[in-house]
Each structure stands twice: as C-alpha cells, then as structure tokens.
Amino acid sequence: MDLYQLRCFLAVAEELHFGRAARRLELMPSALGRQVQQLEESLGGRLFARTTRSVTLTEEGAALVPEAQALLATADGLAQRFRERTRTRATTLRLGAVDTAAAGLVPLLLHDFRAQHLGITVELVEDKTNRLLPRLLSGRLDLAIIRPPAEIGRQVELLPLFHESVVVAVQSGHRLARRRSVTVADLADEPLIVPDRRSRPHSHDLTTKLFAQAGLQPAIAQIAGEKQTIVGLVAAGLGVALVPRWTARMSVSGVRYVPVSVSGAEELNVLPLAAAWMRGSRDPARDAMLALLAERLPAYRSEA
C-alpha cells in the first residue's frame, strides 16, 4: 500500500472536497484524483462517492480512515525517530530555498552561520515551494525557506520572516530605466511578463494584486515559468516584469531594476518568506540556523 496515496486519501476524507485537498497538498486536482483512483484500484473498492456537487466517504472509505491515520502516524513516528538518531551526529544541514531567497537571503545567512558553526556543512537546494515542501516532508531537507502556501500540513512548522520589496525589470534602453522609482500607474500601458500561477502563485499574484490596488488592469503579454527566463524575455524587449527585489542579484545583461513605489503594499503581503521545518523533530544544526535567523532577522529584513 502506497503511503503517499494514503496521505492523499486522508486529505480528501478530511476536506470532502478534491479542490481544497489538492491545494492543501500543493497538487493539481487531477493529480490528486489519480492518486486516489490508484489507491481504490489497489484495494479493489470505491472509497468516495462523487457527484458534481459533493464528495462523501463510502462505507469502505470511512472504515479505512482510522486505519490509514494509524498507519501514517506509525510511519511518520518511525521516520522522525530515525532522523533524530542520525541528525544528533550530523555535520550536514540540508537547506532548501526559493530562487530569490537563494540569491538574496541565503548568502547573508550562510556567511553569518559559517562564522559561528565551522563544523557544519550546508547543502543548498534551490527550487519552487511546491517542490521543496515534499522534500521537507519526506526528510530529504532539514529546513526550507519558502513562500508559505495558504494551507500547509499540520506536520510543518513555520517561522514567518518578512515580505520582499518590489522592483520592475526593464530593458536597459526602456523609457523608465533611468528613473529612481516608478508607480504601478507608470506601467499601465506596458506589456507585462508574469510567471505561471500554478507553479509560482505569489509571484504571479504580485502583478495582479498591485494593479488591482491601483485600480488598473495588467496587460499580460507573456507567461513564463522561471525568473531567469522572465528576465531574459525582458532583456529581449518583450515586456517588463514586476519581481522581488532580490531578483536583481540574478545578473542579466541589458536589464535594469527600478524600485516600485506602492502605497499600502505592506498590507498586500504578496511576497512573504518563511522558514519551514518538521514539527516536533529535533535537529541541533537546524535549530542553530533557526536561532541565527531569529537573531539576525532585522538586519536581513533591511536587505529585502
């Protein structure tokens, strides 16, 4: 029996809604549906009664819930105990980070961490939040700097850090390139390059929310998956892009970054960063980095 399929089953059983369960697991509803279907096929019975309006547990599904909860609790407990036994002797900290954090926060953090903990090696993995969280849950990461999703599993603990400020990436010869700052109204007629919302919801919503706050409609001309690709498209003159300030550290020839002046942007909370780790676990190396993060947070925030 596949433990991941059981996790998917329990999420749907608790939410009784495939869409909400999918958001909770950072999956597409179709992918979640396939996992549940495969579990039903392996067990030889229907676990949910589905209509266009509702999802309910079948008798077999209701009977499986406590069994699945007990099995996953045992598996999670075993994994946690194993990690704790091995991590007490560990000299390596496995750190995940989203791209702008890897470019901006992580170098500052590692500089300070290395000064205090010379014996600990940090392995850095850079990826999107929806790929970092499964690695954290499976024990392949000890700590992750992520964009916190709207819903996150109870087994994950979060330390909110700060919200990154906003800049606009423009081609070096653009009319706005020499400005000290711009407003969203200055970008009203500009073709915009935005990331795909499914993989980068916070970065996508950065554009839509800032334009909505200004009472404007964004003129989205291009959607791209990676920030390096987005900045490359800006360099090619295909549009401009609202991005986190630390994107400016991803140097691309022919692109300038201009600060965006936005009244009330702090309340939008569009670019949050948080540290995430497994709740209830013990890890001296990870706890040392978390303590440093908490201590140095005002200084790191001033850099964002």
Side-chain angles (χ1 to χ4, degrees), residues 7-18 21 32 36 48 55:
R7 292 189 194 279
C8 292
F9 160 73
L10 281 180
V12 180
E14 292 168 3
E15 299 288 349
L16 292 180
H17 191 283
F18 274 80
L32 175 62
V36 171
F48 296 102
V55 176

Side-chain angles (χ1 to χ4, degrees), residues 106-151:
V106 170
L108 302 172
L109 176 62
L110 293 187
H111 175 272
D112 295 342
F113 187 75
R114 188 167 296 166
Q116 297 182 13
H117 304 280
L118 282 173
I120 299 176
T121 300
V122 178
E123 293 181 359
L124 178 62
V125 175
E126 180 184 331
D127 214 328
K128 303 180 183 72
T129 294
N130 61 1
R131 294 179 181 170
L132 292 173
L133 280 175
R135 293 185 184 188
L136 187 69
L137 291 169
S138 65
R140 290 176 289 162
L141 288 177
D142 306 307
L143 182 66
I145 310 298
I146 62 170
R147 304 279 187 210
E151 297 181 20

Side-chain angles (χ1 to χ4, degrees), residues 184-195:
V184 175
D186 292 326
L187 307 174
D189 298 322
E190 296 291 336
L192 293 162
I193 305 168
V194 300

